[in-house]
Amino acid sequence: MTPQSTHKVVQFHETGPIDVLKYESVPTPEIKPTEVLVKNKYAGVNYIEAYFRTGLYPATLPYVLGREASGTIVKVGDEVKNYQVGDKIAYLNAATFAQYTALDASKVAVLKLDKDSSDEKLKLYGASLVQGLTAITLINEAYSVKEGDFILVTAAAGGVGLLLNQLLSKVKKAHVIALCSTQAKLDLTKKAGAEYFLNSSELTQEEQIAKILEITGGKGVAASFDSVGKDTAELSLAVVARKGTFVSFGNASGAVPPLSLGRLSPKNLKVVRPQVFGYITTPEEFKHYSDLLLTYVNDGTLHFDITKTYPLEDYKTAASDLEGRKTTGKLVLEIPQ
């Protein structure tokens, strides 16, 4: 398992559109005494990469993309005690769109997998941590969903959206109102547990508001879990009930425009802008939520719909598909070995 001296990565040297992405050879990372080197097998594709690439989130250039992966440890630092060469892991860390990633296993979120874990299990856990933990923490921390709540989920057929449908309906016993752009996507949300369905390509925003108020008896929703951003922020603010919560956790259509706090007063609204890494910062937090994730996967509560796997060198295509809203479920990159 001797690492190669160079390896392939997906990175960018300047912020901008998808064309700034490069598939390049760079020196393989050297590890510190407290680090391990992972030979990656699969990496999950997440919308957050677009935020770094476009400059919405700050990035030190050149920037290697990726936030989650799975693979095999091929080198161990002298001070590392809990891991050894040959261990299979899934983990959260930067720079995972790469053949090798160096990480401090004592400081990042790591799931140790069975040494005989199949490629399918590596793919599942390499693609499930960010979105799975996002969905679980949103419904418990961003807004603690109660049984019987009406909840709006925008982009409800996306990776996080489908997981929210499952968790809200099965675990929280809430009523999910799914918002999608096509009937085919709405059909997926129905299978995942949504009860009410809005097609954004057929209804104006005013009609969507009217439908949601009709569904909720004029009260509005207890919370809107909104990953679309700019195009749906006004909808979310309009349909959230008195003392409700607008959970803005994505910018698929662009950043939400600046919001005057005075707009919250008439209904005593709460607005939160969470990211999963702020909920799993400590080892105790990561263990709590990763244990929940494993439980939900193993008992069948959560099903991850991995809809397409791309070679690492084709990440441009994956990014174009994702940002063009051409996809449903989860996209995965397979790393060359």
Side-chain angles (χ1 to χ4, degrees):
M1 289 191 178
T2 302
Q4 304 160 200
S5 60
T6 63
H7 70 138
K8 292 290 189 179
V9 303
V10 175
Q11 63 181 0
F12 57 87
H13 298 266
E14 59 181 337
T15 57
I18 288 173
D19 286 346
V20 303
L21 294 170
K22 305 295 182 185
Y23 182 63
E24 299 179 316
S25 291
V26 299
T28 299
E30 294 291 335
I31 62 169
K32 299 175 183 177
T34 58
E35 293 181 329
V36 300
L37 186 68
V38 184
K39 186 175 185 181
N40 296 316
K41 177 65 176 176
Y42 295 101
V45 176
N46 297 288
Y47 214 103
I48 193 172
E49 306 308 337
Y51 306 155
F52 287 106
R53 191 197 73 236
T54 59
L56 184 63
Y57 289 0
T60 301
L61 302 177
Y63 185 87
V64 179
L65 292 159
R67 310 298 288 179
E68 64 182 343
S70 61
T72 305
I73 293 175
V74 294
K75 194 173 183 181
V76 176
D78 293 339
E79 297 177 17
V80 174
K81 304 300 181 185
N82 297 326
Y83 298 92
Q84 58 186 7
V85 170
D87 283 349
K88 292 184 177 182
I89 62 171
Y91 65 95
L92 297 173
N93 198 65
T96 64
F97 289 2
Q99 287 181 286
Y100 294 94
T101 301
L103 59 92
D104 188 329
S106 67
K107 294 182 179 179
V108 301
V110 177
L111 283 178
K112 187 181 287 190
L113 306 176
D114 294 338
K115 286 194 175 183
D116 60 353
S117 293
S118 65
D119 275 5
E120 283 306 305
K121 181 160 282 192
L122 282 171
K123 180 186 287 190
L124 171 62
Y125 288 114
S128 65
L129 291 182
V130 169
Q131 292 183 345
L133 293 172
T134 294
I136 292 171
T137 54
L138 285 179
I139 66 172
N140 288 289
E141 301 249 12
Y143 170 69
S144 181
V145 178
K146 302 171 184 62
E147 184 173 349
D149 278 346
F150 283 87
I151 305 292
L152 174 65
V153 179
T154 70
V160 175
L162 288 174
L163 300 180
L164 285 171
N165 281 303
Q166 295 173 67
L167 292 169
L168 289 167
S169 60
K170 296 177 184 179
V171 177
K172 295 295 188 177
K173 310 299 182 185
H175 306 289
V176 180
I177 303 172
L179 179 68
C180 295
S181 59
T182 69
Q183 186 57 49
K185 290 182 178 181
L186 289 173
D187 291 342
L188 290 175
T189 70
K190 184 175 183 179
K191 292 178 182 178
E195 291 181 57
Y196 304 95
F197 312 95
L198 300 175
N199 189 327
S200 61
S201 64
E202 295 180 354
L203 299 172
T204 66
Q205 192 161 103
E206 290 74 19
E207 289 171 330
Q208 294 168 36
I209 292 170
K211 288 281 189 183
I212 292 169
L213 293 178
E214 178 185 345
I215 291 166
T216 59
K219 294 181 179 179
V221 295
S224 172
F225 290 105
D226 188 348
S227 63
V228 174
K230 180 181 177 182
D231 289 352
T232 53
E234 289 297 325
L235 170 69
S236 290
L237 288 168
V239 301
V240 170
R242 183 178 66 88
K243 299 194 290 185
T245 304
F246 171 25
V247 182
S248 175
F249 70 99
N251 304 298
S253 65
V256 175
L259 175 66
S260 170
L261 291 178
R263 292 192 60 190
L264 308 180
S265 299
K267 294 193 289 186
N268 282 7
L269 300 183
K270 302 180 186 70
V271 175
V272 294
R273 175 66 188 182
Q275 60 158 320
V276 64
F277 301 101
Y279 290 137
I280 56 171
T281 301
T282 69
E284 293 78 16
E285 289 170 333
F286 176 72
K287 184 178 188 314
H288 172 72
Y289 285 116
S290 62
D291 283 350
L292 272 181
L293 175 61
L294 291 173
T295 297
Y296 292 150
V297 170
N298 291 333
D299 69 12
T301 298
L302 270 185
H303 169 70
F304 284 83
D305 186 14
I306 298 176
T307 54
K308 192 165 183 180
T309 302
Y310 302 76
L312 178 64
E313 63 185 293
D314 288 345
Y315 172 64
K316 273 189 181 181
T317 303
S320 179
D321 290 346
L322 181 64
E323 294 170 40
R325 303 190 193 182
K326 300 175 184 177
T327 66
T328 59
K330 183 68 179 187
L331 308 182
V332 180
L333 299 177
E334 184 168 5
I335 314 298
Q337 299 298 293

